[in-house]
Amino acid sequence: MRTQNRVITFLASAMVILHCFTASAHQVKQAVEPVNRYFQESWTTRDGLPHNTVNSLSQTPEGYIWLTTWEGIARFNGNEFKVYGRDDTTGLPDAGMRSSYVDANGRLIIGGSRGGLTSVKDHHWQPLRPVGGLVNAMAAEADGSIWVATEGDGLFREYADGHSEHWTVETGLPSNSIYALVKDPDGQLWVGTSKGVVVFEQQQLRVNKDIPAAPVFDVLPTKQGVLFATEFGLLRCVEAQCQQFMPELTNIAVSKLMFDHQGSLWIGTIERGVYRYSKSYGLEHLETGRDLPRNRVLSLLEDQEHSIWIGTNGGLLRLRDVPFSTLTEEQGLAGNYVRTVLADKDGKSIWIGTSNGLSRYDIAAGKVVQNLIPKQSILSLEQQSDGTLYIGTYTAGVFVYKNGEVELLLDRERGLISNEVRAILRADDGALWMGTSQGLTILQNGQLRSITTDSGLPGNFIVALAQVGKQIWVGTGTGISIWEGDHFENVPIQQFDNAEYAFGFFYQDKQQLLWAATDRGLMRRNLATGETGIIGRSKGLPFDKYFQVFIDDHDDIWMSSNRGILRFSEADANAVLEGKLAKLPLVLYGESDGMVSAQANGGSSPTIAKSTDGSLWMATARGVARVDPSRLYLFSQYTPNVEIESLTLDGQRQQLLDDKITMAPGVQRMVVRYAGLSYIMPSRIHYRTRLQGFDQQWRDNANQHQIEFTNLAPGEYQLQIQAQNPSGDWSKPAILNITKLPFWWQTSLALYLAILGLILWVVLIVWWRTYSLRRSRANLLQQVELKTEELQRHTDHLAQLNSEKSALLEQLSRQAIALEKQAMQDELTGLPNRRAFDETFEREFSRAKRSQQPLALAFLDIDHFKSINDNFSHEAGDLALELLGQQLKQHCREFDVCARWGGEEFVMLLPSTTLEQALAVSERLRYRIASMDCNDIAPQLEITVSIGVACSDDAVDMDELLNKADRALYRAKQNGRNRVER
């Protein structure tokens, strides 16, 4: 019977909750997301908090988040905390802060540990008259009076005219320790104490005897009763009837209550973290671990953009909706390293291939319901119309899943060309194409056929397959090929900045366009005209390599990469390729947008899949990321408010009492710091500024939070600052009116006096000069005749000396050029010598680090060079060095640097070249050298080299890069010579 009563109580409570939520919530425009899809961020003292105990949270109308802690007040703008403590600014007697409250006028009131009170509005602080005891809570009335609840000293009401009222146990309170003050819609003040609840109505205190005389930490009035947070659970009282409101929370100490904008109830506890109750997901729980920094919840806040802030005794936590959610091992995935994803044709499931098996995610259930082929790394997936699933693996070949059973279909022993299967395609004619690391295998009518470069493929490393009409498009590590009929036709892509890899295809049948993700950007092939174009870094893409391209239902293109997920308009991409748009506008999503890892995986297929609800699923290095493109507009509808936070003049901080500042004449440098108060994507807020009177148009400040001006001329200026979230509207500008005063000599009067004085001075100079010239003219005429003859003699002599000097200078110049060339060039090979290389290396290394571009370095050493000298003569050795130098000159690009390092050792410097590219270049060079005909030097002479390669991405300075390349060369020699090592 007791169990039955608990069930009935729970159902009745749930019905009331749903009714309360409906009455309390705004009109819901978006679906409630489960708590585990919220993006979670936390801050502690390591991140700028003055103390890890966050006692209260408030948001003022302009958008700042305010926190009170035991070591001061913190104001958060989304990027940094500004801390205020016991000083002349706040007027507080102690740094310990317990509570905060925002009144109807937007004034923030703060209460401290010693009864201190202060307020702040529009950056202006106003100390208030203190009360006795620690301030636990506050509330304000329309007449400007403030209710103040204290720990041990009762209840105060402070009036604007300076007088106050005071209630204690002697005047009707059940306890002098008060934890909560809450005004309900009817104007009643609910007072939660350590011994029950008091209601203040009609200027009198009334003890609510329906609530047990136990601590009440928070009160939440609703239209269907009042909720009370107590030390033994959550109570609901309707008139005189009180009962447990959610039996699951019985005997759990509840500390804070809050409804969010969707009507969900957030419940903070003292030892169990946070609960949320929603109509969609019932009761959900966040507790210490990945979710909360500590279990003791001291404060709850929903900000203007609907993020949830949780203050605990171990730091601050924020839960916010983000574009992406991530499914990992914690939610049942077979492995975190996801290689491939595929939407099941039944529309109910998503297949997720990981490095530790295959998982099936049930969309309706919202969870992983099946894991298959454990410990196998899944590289590729394909499904035919009857539901048969083909599974390509890294080391075990191809499996088939049908009727709930997994069987091995093909491996190397059964005729598969390689067990590493990176792409699978079920063609319209029934053939099963399998792309491996060593070529293609086709299974048709029970017959196997293998295809490699010998059959026309540009490369054997297959990473992508797609059927376009009757054609099969094959993406390899060395280009693209089309199979039609019974032969291959290669599509050249190397002309696009040396593109090689084609990782993924997307075909638009109606437009007759095929898109390909390559290692040099996004390629588009017009199948009607045969025209091919590419969008790379020069046209707006942030980096080179992309793995998959996908076009969603909103005509947006998505591309995955090692550094995040890109989204941009298909129309913009076509405009760029057609020359109508210079740069491609795009959005780059990463870990701040909900992905656990921004590294999306490639080299397998498919890596992006679309479920029936339009959501996109993407393979990453830490789980599978999910995004619903239709919800992205929610993240651009909020417009950040811009606040000017500080102003410094020549390094001296100025107090901004209003929107005006006057600069003294001698001020040289002005720095203005500002912040866009939006917490959805604070790192992505974009700013622009304009100084009217100086700038002709808006200045793009990207994500910078300050602007600097130097040597402003005297005059009147107006600084305007705007902010926007990605793809959102620009905010109303924050304005600062600036007056730069002139020096006295820069005034109009000083200018007029200066002009008059200049005129008088010019007149005097002209008169004096005329007089002097007349006196000097006679003397000069006498001197001219005497000096003319002497000057002629000197002129002739100087002409002769000048001729001799010119000849000498020409000779010295020729000698200098010869010496310089000798000092910087190796005489034997004609290559730059060690000195020339050192100068170039230092310059290129600095440039690479500054521009964040890779710089590759390769050491080459002739194998067994001593034996060449010993067996064929030193003259043959010199000829071998000359021949190697010629090969290096022919092999290097115009901007590469090849030099003789010393003896039989050479060095190559390859700017803007990754380690993988440098290895490929070095391998081709090694092969070319080994293939040289050396019979002209000596019969049967063969020359090989060992090469060690390193890249600046892995080196802090030049010495480290040299050492890495040198060690790589040593490994090449130790491992048998005539090879390339990294």
Side-chain angles (χ1 to χ4, degrees), residues 18 231 316 826:
L18 297 181
E231 68 176 5
L316 175 66
D826 178 64

Side-chain angles (χ1 to χ4, degrees), residues 90 100 134 159 230 289 344 393-394 415 456 622 714 751 855 916 952 965:
T90 63
S100 60
L134 182 147
Y159 290 87
T230 75
D344 196 289
T393 68
Y394 190 73
R622 288 290 304 277
L751 179 61
L855 175 66
E916 288 77 13
S952 63

Side-chain angles (χ1 to χ4, degrees), residues 706-881:
Q706 74 174 35
I707 188 170
E708 178 178 332
F709 299 97
T710 56
N711 298 316
L712 284 178
E716 300 288 336
Y717 304 91
Q718 186 182 77
L719 176 62
Q720 299 177 343
I721 307 170
Q722 288 185 306
Q724 68 169 178
N725 278 317
S727 302
D729 296 329
W730 285 106
S731 68
K732 180 181 178 181
I735 292 175
L736 179 64
N737 294 298
I738 303 165
T739 300
K740 176 68 179 293
L741 299 177
F743 288 102
W744 67 266
W745 61 79
Q746 294 174 315
T747 62
S748 299
L749 178 60
L751 179 61
Y752 296 148
L753 291 176
I755 293 174
L756 180 60
L758 178 62
I759 293 173
L760 293 175
W761 181 77
V762 170
V763 170
L764 181 61
I765 290 297
V766 170
W767 176 84
W768 178 84
R769 185 63 176 165
T770 303
Y771 174 76
S772 298
L773 288 173
R774 283 198 302 266
R775 292 185 58 185
S776 300
R777 184 173 182 274
N779 293 332
L780 288 173
L781 289 174
Q782 293 178 4
Q783 296 288 333
V784 166
E785 293 183 4
L786 296 175
K787 295 294 183 179
T788 299
E789 183 178 352
E790 182 180 355
L791 288 172
Q792 185 62 48
R793 290 196 301 270
H794 281 294
T795 299
D796 295 340
H797 181 64
L798 288 173
Q800 181 179 359
L801 291 176
N802 188 54
S803 176
E804 294 173 355
K805 179 181 177 182
S806 297
L808 179 60
L809 287 174
E810 183 177 357
Q811 180 181 358
L812 290 173
S813 177
R814 290 194 300 269
Q815 292 176 350
I817 292 172
L819 288 173
E820 182 179 2
K821 183 175 181 181
Q822 183 178 0
M824 304 296 286
Q825 187 180 64
D826 178 64
E827 183 177 357
L828 180 62
T829 63
L831 293 173
N833 60 16
R834 172 76 173 275
R835 176 182 173 186
F837 174 80
D838 287 344
E839 293 181 3
T840 303
F841 182 31
E842 182 176 2
R843 182 177 65 254
E844 289 297 324
F845 188 90
S846 298
R847 184 189 66 79
K849 289 298 182 182
R850 185 171 58 254
S851 61
Q852 297 183 352
Q853 293 292 316
L855 175 66
L857 178 69
F859 274 132
L860 298 82
D861 190 276
I862 299 177
D863 297 327
H864 306 295
F865 181 75
K866 185 175 182 301
S867 66
I868 296 176
N869 287 333
D870 294 341
N871 297 332
F872 299 99
S873 78
H874 285 279
E875 180 181 0
D878 290 344
L879 291 174
L881 292 172

Side-chain angles (χ1 to χ4, degrees), residues 37 324-343 350-354 359-361 367-368 565 594-597 599-601 606-610 615-627:
R37 284 189 184 171
F324 287 82
S325 59
T326 303
L327 182 70
T328 65
E329 289 179 356
E330 294 183 9
Q331 290 81 44
L333 206 62
N336 277 337
Y337 198 86
V338 178
R339 307 299 298 264
T340 178
V341 289
L342 180 73
I350 300 292
W351 292 97
I352 304 165
T354 79
S359 298
R360 183 169 67 88
Y361 181 88
K367 62 181 180 180
V368 175
I565 305 294
M595 287 185 281
V596 177
S597 172
Q599 178 187 329
N601 285 330
T607 56
I608 299 180
K610 186 182 78 170
S615 298
L616 301 184
W617 298 71
M618 303 173 184
T620 80
R622 288 290 304 277
V624 58
R626 172 188 174 272
V627 61

Side-chain angles (χ1 to χ4, degrees), residues 250-270:
T250 301
N251 295 325
I252 294 178
V254 179
S255 56
K256 286 294 175 182
L257 301 172
M258 182 187 73
F259 279 120
D260 65 19
H261 75 289
Q262 294 176 313
S264 299
L265 177 64
W266 293 82
I267 306 164
T269 72
I270 292 178

